Structures are given as C-alpha cells and as structure tokens.
Amino acid sequence: MDLKRKLSRLTSAGPGSQARAPVNAVAVAPVVETPAEVARIPPAEEAGTTTLAEVLVQTLRKRMSMDEAPPADVPAQEAARAEGLVDLREEARRRFAAKRGEAVEPGASDPRVESLRQMLAFWAERQGTASARKAVAPVPEPRALPVEARSTPHGTVHVAEQLYAPDHRHGTAPVAAALDVEARLVAGLALHPELESVDFTRMLMLDTETTGLAGGTGTVPFLVGLGWFEGRALRVQQLFLRRMGEEAPMLRLLAERMASSSCLVTYNGKSFDWPLLRTRFVLNRVPVPRELPHLDLLHCARRVFKHRGEGARLVHLESKVLGHHRVGDVDGSLIPELYFRFLRGTDGSELVPVLEHNQKDLLLLAALLGDLVRRFQSEGTERQDPRDLLGFAQVAERAGDSERALTFAKAAAESGGPVGIEALVLASRLCRRAGDCETAAAHLQRALTFAKPGQGAMLHLSLTKLYEHSLKDLPRALYHARLAAPVELPDDHQLRLERLERRLSRQGA
C-alpha cells in the first residue's frame, strides 16, 4: 500500500463507508485535491458546527488562494501535502478532545501519526539525496575500440594486438613460466598421454567471447583471442567481428595460426570454445583445420583444487591461486548484450572492457599452466595448501606416478583433520600396492589419531582386512573387526567375527 493511501485511511473513512477510528477520533470526509471539489463544499460558517472535514476544506481553500510557485520536485510536493494532512488530523484530535472535556497531555500523539512523520522525513531526505547525486553523476567519455582493419588474402579482418615482455607477471606467476613446463608432467597432470610428445614452446592459447553461452548454431564468437610466444615474449592477438556475415576471413586467419601451432591451451575449450568454432567453420564453408592436441586447464583445475570446495571458476582461481585481483572487470553475463548494443549503432567504448577481459583471460592461461606444472614437480610442498597437495596426490596416483603421489600424500597428511585422514588412506593404499604392508598399517593407525569419536569405523575395517590377509595378525584383526560394526551389515559383521574367532581357536589348539 502506498503512502497516500495510508494517509487517506488515517484521515478519512473513504466514500460510502463507516469510519474505523478510536473513541477520541471522528469520521472525516474524503481528501479533496482539486479546486472544483473544494468549491462544491459549503463554508464552515453555514454549517454551524466544526468538523475535521471542514478544517481540511478551509486549509485547502487557504492553500489554493496563496500565490505560490509549485515545487519543482513532485515527490517532495506530495510529501509536504501528506505532512500537512497529518498535522490537521492531530489538531482535530486535540480540538474534539477539548470539546468533550477530556484532558490532552502535552505532546501526546498517535503512534501511527509519529510513524508516518518519520516515513515522510525519510522519503523527503532520500528524494533530495537522489536528486543531488543524479545532478553530479559524471558522464563517461567515449573511447574508440582499439582494433584496426588488416587486409589479408581472404578479406579484411579487424585485429587488436599487444606484446607482453618476458618478465611480465600475472599476479604472483610469471607468464613466461609456461615455456618451461615438461611435456611429461603436463601429460600426467592432464591425464592425457598424447601431450607427452608436444612442443609447448609452440602452443596456442585460445579464448573466445560469444553472443551467448548456450552454444549451437545461433551462437557467434565475435571475439577470438589468441596467444603465443615469440622468444619468451607473449603476443596476444584478438580477432574482432565488426558485423555479422564477415566471419570467413577471421576463421581463415585462425586456421593459419593453428597450422603453425603444436597444441591448443584453453579453459573449458574442449566443451565450449572449440566445438563452437568448428561449427562456425562448417557454417561459413571454411575448411575445418586439423585438430590439435588439446590441453583444457579446466579439467586440471577441477581435479587439483576440488578439495577447496569453492568451484573452479577462472576468475576465482586467478585471485585465490595466483593472487591477481581484477578491478573494474566486466561481468561475463553482460558481454553478449554489450556486443548487440554495438551492432545496433553505439560506439565501441562499451566493448573496450570486453577486449581487456579477454586479454587477461589469455594471460591467465599462460600463468596458470606454468604455476600448476611447477607445483606438480613436488617442489616446495611445505608452502602449499594441504587441500591442493591432496589433489595433486590423487592426480599423480591416477597418472600411475606412485612415487610422486606418495610424496604429496605425506605432505598433505601433516595438516591432520579430514584432509590428513584422506591423505593417509591414500598413502596406505600406495604402500600396500608396493608390498610394504607394515607401513600401510602404520599410515592407517596414524589416521585413527585424527578421526573424531565415531568416525574411525571405516579405518578399523581397512585395518581388519590388512591384518587378516596381508600381515596374518589375527588378534589385531579381531580387535579392529569388533570396532568396524557401524560400516558393515549386521550379518556380514557377525560372519567376519565368527570366522576370525574360529581361526584364532585353531591357532590356539
């Protein structure tokens, strides 16, 4: 209910209804606002009585007879009118209380009236503040879109280029560190054996900005960002689509760059960027280039950082892992609309942040690749997050690198808690595969010291199996079996206990 209707309910019963007022209040006529309505009401002298309605009419007549300029701010005018009605109602309440001989306490007021006064004051203050803020808001200066038309044998392509020096850093990570990665480690980190033979000095980083996130034939990549190394400097080239229907030259230039590259490096490119570009090649009748080995860092990041529980969004990893915080970055969900507004005739100033956003994504790809591989070399594990160490250990185990996995698992176990328990279970599994069952049991025993009461039943079950089948220590196996009841079916648990007890009795005999 808006403010005027609240005031009307307090100051009038409304046409054709009975007033719902306290004992010390009276029913009043509807609020009138126009001169014609006021003229039709007789003066108070002719009625011979004094009512709240007459007080309202006299006040309105007096206001309409005054030669005042109307306020410039309509909401402020409404607030002033409402404040006047509140004052009139308070005056009428006092007058009728005096006529009936009731005592009126000085300063006494209806709580509802006081509440309305506060609302009106807050409203007027907000309107004034908003008007002042609107009056001084700076108007952004238009900026030219930093792309230039470049003639190619296939047609004109609009390009933006920038070269980053070899010592350029993105957050805490040097961008050129991507050149120093070992293909063997990259293949293990990505769980992609095909990458072992790749020359990463000729990699091509790729990131697109599109007219939508759903994919399909209706989605167009209007900005294709490419990055490659020249020596140890990183060149970033952005191919921009100034209008629809001019994709073919841009796609042919992309195909030429891919032909001179050894692999693609993307973030979610296997699921989105490359399938979309391949569709655009087909729709524009441009030969699809030979597919390159593809390193998708999203898959690596999900496996390594999954224990953080914070997702694997690229900008999030940029701040949490590399320590780079973007200021004034454009929201990715707004990018399609900004491009459509450009197509409808606005200048290119709104798309400048989009090009900057794309450049930072390409720098981040190089920096993240170098940082992940450096960490995966098992150097400086004491300075890493235990959750990341556990992630690296699990990746190394899946890659078949047991020695590296055990190193990471032992380092992660130092943190204790749930991460330490999981790391020790992994270390126990690795030792058992290697035939070192004593050490495997020791890791599980240590994990029990980290478990809270009631949480070690699964560890007891693992120790039961280890002692019974590998170490042939039946008394210890029976001890742990009795503590593993919460994680076994009752019948299975009973059968295990009976079997161990029979074997022990035979040994004693």
Side-chain angles (χ1 to χ4, degrees):
M1 182 183 296
D2 57 29
L3 191 58
K4 289 179 65 177
R5 290 176 61 189
K6 285 184 179 180
L7 291 170
S8 298
R9 290 186 63 179
L10 284 176
T11 56
S12 72
S17 64
Q18 289 290 24
R20 293 174 293 181
V23 176
N24 62 346
V26 295
V28 297
V31 177
V32 291
E33 299 182 356
T34 64
E37 292 173 338
V38 176
R40 288 197 296 268
I41 300 177
E45 297 81 22
E46 299 178 7
T49 58
T50 303
T51 65
L52 181 56
E54 293 168 352
V55 174
L56 291 174
V57 171
Q58 291 172 3
T59 303
L60 290 170
R61 279 180 172 161
K62 181 178 179 182
R63 287 188 178 182
M64 281 184 248
S65 64
M66 297 173 65
D67 186 15
E68 295 179 346
D73 192 353
V74 175
Q77 182 182 14
E78 295 292 339
R81 180 185 301 166
E83 178 67 23
L85 294 177
V86 172
D87 291 339
L88 289 174
R89 188 182 187 283
E90 178 63 13
E91 179 184 349
R93 190 187 69 80
R94 293 176 179 275
R95 181 176 300 179
F96 280 100
K99 181 182 290 187
R100 296 173 59 181
E102 297 176 356
V104 180
E105 299 180 4
S109 176
D110 189 335
R112 295 177 299 176
V113 174
E114 292 302 321
S115 176
L116 284 172
R117 289 184 190 278
Q118 295 174 8
M119 291 171 61
L120 290 167
F122 176 74
W123 186 23
E125 181 181 356
R126 286 288 300 273
Q127 291 293 333
T129 304
S131 299
R133 185 166 56 246
K134 184 176 180 181
V136 299
V139 178
E141 296 182 1
R143 292 185 288 173
L145 196 61
V147 296
E148 61 177 7
R150 182 173 299 178
S151 297
T152 70
H154 316 293
T156 301
V157 181
H158 292 85
V159 180
E161 275 193 1
Q162 189 166 353
L163 187 66
Y164 291 89
D167 59 349
H168 185 83
R169 303 178 74 88
H170 194 73
T172 58
V175 172
L179 287 171
D180 303 325
V181 299
E182 295 182 34
R184 177 180 59 86
L185 291 177
V186 177
L189 185 63
L191 302 179
H192 194 345
E194 185 184 5
L195 294 174
E196 288 188 8
S197 59
V198 168
D199 177 11
F200 280 92
T201 62
R202 296 191 300 113
M203 64 182 144
L204 177 65
M205 284 153 282
L206 182 144
D207 183 64
T208 63
E209 307 300 336
T210 66
T211 58
L213 301 177
T217 57
T219 303
V220 177
F222 68 86
L223 183 65
V224 178
L226 305 173
W228 64 88
F229 284 98
E230 297 178 353
R232 295 190 67 83
L234 178 66
R235 181 171 296 280
V236 171
Q237 184 181 84
Q238 296 168 292
L239 312 179
F240 179 68
L241 185 65
R242 288 191 64 92
R243 59 179 59 87
M244 294 295 183
E246 297 183 354
E247 288 181 81
M250 179 179 75
L251 294 173
R252 291 185 184 276
L253 197 60
L254 170 61
E256 290 179 359
R257 175 50 55 184
M258 290 181 63
S260 61
S261 303
S262 61
C263 69
L264 285 179
V265 179
T266 66
Y267 200 86
N268 196 32
K270 283 188 176 180
S271 301
F272 184 76
D273 297 81
W274 175 243
L276 177 62
L277 287 170
R278 186 172 52 204
T279 300
R280 303 314 299 179
F281 275 105
V282 173
L283 292 178
N284 286 274
R285 298 183 180 182
V286 177
V288 180
R290 177 181 61 88
E291 290 199 22
L292 300 173
H294 196 150
L295 172 60
D296 193 332
L297 291 178
L298 172 62
H299 301 164
C300 302
R302 279 178 175 169
R303 287 189 285 264
V304 171
F305 302 116
K306 65 179 181 180
H307 298 287
R308 295 191 177 210
E310 299 169 338
R313 291 185 63 244
L314 188 59
V315 176
H316 175 77
L317 294 180
E318 182 179 38
S319 61
K320 298 297 183 180
V321 177
L322 302 182
H324 180 85
H325 303 276
R326 299 192 186 188
V327 178
D329 188 44
V330 63
D331 189 340
S333 62
L334 301 178
I335 290 177
E337 175 58 24
L338 294 176
Y339 180 65
F340 287 132
R341 289 168 63 175
F342 170 79
L343 293 180
R344 290 194 292 266
T346 61
D347 59 49
S349 58
E350 292 184 329
L351 284 179
V352 174
V354 177
L355 269 69
E356 295 172 351
H357 171 89
N358 185 257
Q359 286 178 3
K360 292 175 182 176
D361 283 351
L362 292 168
L363 291 171
L364 176 54
L365 285 176
L368 183 61
L369 173 59
D371 187 74
L372 280 173
V373 176
R374 177 187 61 80
R375 293 188 186 202
F376 197 50
Q377 290 174 341
S378 340
E379 298 177 0
T381 54
E382 67 280 356
R383 297 188 298 273
Q384 296 192 42
D385 190 316
R387 297 171 295 179
D388 300 345
L389 294 173
L390 177 57
F392 280 121
Q394 292 172 333
V395 170
E397 182 189 20
R398 291 182 60 184
D401 193 344
S402 299
E403 182 180 355
R404 192 180 306 276
L406 187 59
T407 301
F408 278 116
K410 289 180 178 179
E414 298 299 324
S415 65
V419 170
I421 293 173
E422 193 168 351
L424 286 168
V425 169
L426 191 153
S428 175
R429 185 167 61 246
L430 292 169
C431 291
R432 186 173 181 177
R433 289 175 186 168
D436 188 357
C437 295
E438 289 286 351
T439 305
H443 286 314
L444 291 177
Q445 292 285 3
R446 185 184 175 195
L448 280 173
T449 64
F450 296 148
K452 295 181 180 179
Q455 293 183 343
M458 186 59 70
L459 296 174
H460 285 296
L461 181 60
S462 298
L463 283 167
T464 298
K465 297 176 181 179
L466 192 60
Y467 280 121
E468 180 183 3
H469 302 295
S470 300
L471 297 174
K472 309 301 180 183
D473 190 338
L474 296 182
R476 287 190 176 183
L478 182 58
Y479 168 77
H480 288 289
R482 288 171 177 160
L483 297 174
V487 295
E488 285 194 291
L489 293 174
D491 293 342
D492 294 342
H493 180 66
Q494 186 62 33
L495 288 173
R496 185 185 300 277
L497 293 179
E498 292 174 356
R499 183 181 70 250
L500 288 171
E501 288 171 351
R502 285 195 304 271
R503 294 183 64 184
L504 277 171
S505 64
R506 287 197 296 268
Q507 280 186 356

